[in-house]
Amino acid sequence: MGRHGGRGWYGRVFAAAVGVTAMAAATSVWTAQAGPVEGRQAGSGVSARPSAPAGSGGAPVSADIVHASDHGARGVNITIDDGPDPAWTPQVLRVLRDNGVKATFCMVGTQAQAHPDLVKAVVAGGHRLCDHSVSHDTTMDAKPDSAQSREILDAERMITKASGGVRPLYYRAPGGAFTPYSRHLAASRGMRPLGWNVDSKDFERPGADAIISTVKNEMSNGPTVLFHDAGGERSQTVAALREVLPWLKQQGYSFGFPVR
């Protein structure tokens, strides 16, 4: 999601979970790169191409931030951030199922750990998983490599365990706080860095009509659309998705996943 002032509500979640955490392209007519701008890199002697840690991981992928859809010029990538959440994720899943749409769920590690049943439900629905860090710290681009590594790798482990062994295929930095180090670390683990083109602004809860209008007006920016299923009350998101998904179909779009 976009930056919303520091750590946001996940700062409190992370404070309670520090002990657990410690244990633990393709072608498209859209060329607008409206995704998040890569942040600065903290520390000295930093390598932009870290070696993959020991242990199993996906085959390395490109470290470039992806926006394109694997459905080509008229493809749309629906991405859902910050969950899973027991109140809102099931409702989002129902709307997606009713419309025959597959999405990419960018999950926060502590949320996945707390709700493994929902992670498994996302996988069972044919959706893809994305690592969205452990604590959703939007200042990660100002942190040392060691802190970035913990956030990314611990979340990867939490999500994979909660899913029953299905690994996240993407990494989306909180608030777009990517660094060269975080991008290459994620890519070395088989997680393509994932940006966005259309921010629905649903995080601000401006009303379902405003969310719908934002998506309709900004689809020319590119194929990857950002929504949220956690971080607050999300009834507006659910209502907006009920209208936006059929509208996109009516406009001749099809739904895919971000290019790997």
Side-chain angles (χ1 to χ4, degrees):
M1 71 179 194
R3 296 183 188 244
H4 296 285
R7 294 191 179 188
W9 72 283
Y10 280 105
R12 297 191 296 275
V13 173
F14 181 58
V18 167
V20 175
T21 303
M23 287 177 13
T27 58
S28 170
V29 296
W30 278 313
T31 57
Q33 297 296 296
V37 176
E38 184 168 89
R40 65 187 180 280
Q41 191 161 347
S44 59
V46 173
S47 170
R49 296 182 179 273
S51 299
S56 62
V61 295
S62 172
D64 293 337
I65 298 172
V66 66
H67 301 85
S69 174
D70 63 7
H71 272 221
R74 299 294 288 177
V76 172
N77 306 321
I78 300 297
T79 63
I80 313 289
D81 282 22
D82 294 3
D85 180 274
W88 306 111
T89 302
Q91 296 188 47
V92 169
L93 285 172
R94 189 174 306 117
V95 175
L96 293 170
R97 183 184 66 240
D98 291 347
N99 287 275
V101 174
K102 306 303 182 186
T104 300
F105 283 76
C106 300
M107 295 185 174
V108 172
T110 50
Q111 293 294 106
Q113 186 176 59
H115 306 290
D117 55 327
L118 294 178
V119 182
K120 291 180 176 69
V122 167
V123 171
H127 309 287
R128 288 186 180 179
L129 302 176
C130 171
D131 180 332
H132 202 34
S133 82
V134 171
S135 66
H136 202 277
D137 184 351
T138 60
T139 66
M140 275 180 60
D141 53 345
K143 300 298 174 62
D145 292 350
S146 58
Q148 296 179 53
S149 179
R150 284 193 300 271
E151 286 281 332
I152 295 168
L153 300 182
D154 285 359
E156 180 193 8
R157 284 190 286 270
M158 290 175 176
I159 294 167
T160 302
K161 181 177 180 180
S163 72
V166 179
R167 301 182 65 259
L169 297 181
Y170 308 93
Y171 167 66
R172 174 173 275 167
F178 287 100
T179 66
Y181 178 85
S182 68
R183 289 191 295 103
H184 284 92
L185 176 61
S188 75
R189 300 290 296 173
M191 297 184 291
R192 182 77 187 264
L194 176 59
W196 65 83
N197 303 100
V198 180
D199 183 352
S200 70
K201 299 295 197 300
D202 65 331
F203 192 88
E204 300 173 5
R205 288 185 284 176
D209 288 344
I211 296 169
I212 293 164
S213 179
T214 295
V215 174
K216 290 182 176 181
N217 291 336
E218 296 187 8
M219 279 309 302
S220 61
N221 290 345
T224 302
V225 188
L226 171 63
F227 295 97
H228 298 82
D229 64 342
E233 203 269 1
R234 294 286 162 246
S235 61
Q236 294 177 11
T237 300
V238 175
L241 283 168
R242 286 198 187 103
E243 181 167 331
V244 164
L245 298 180
W247 177 83
L248 286 167
K249 289 183 180 180
Q250 292 166 7
Q251 304 307 304
Y253 294 105
S254 62
F255 296 93
F257 293 111
V259 169
R260 291 261 301 149

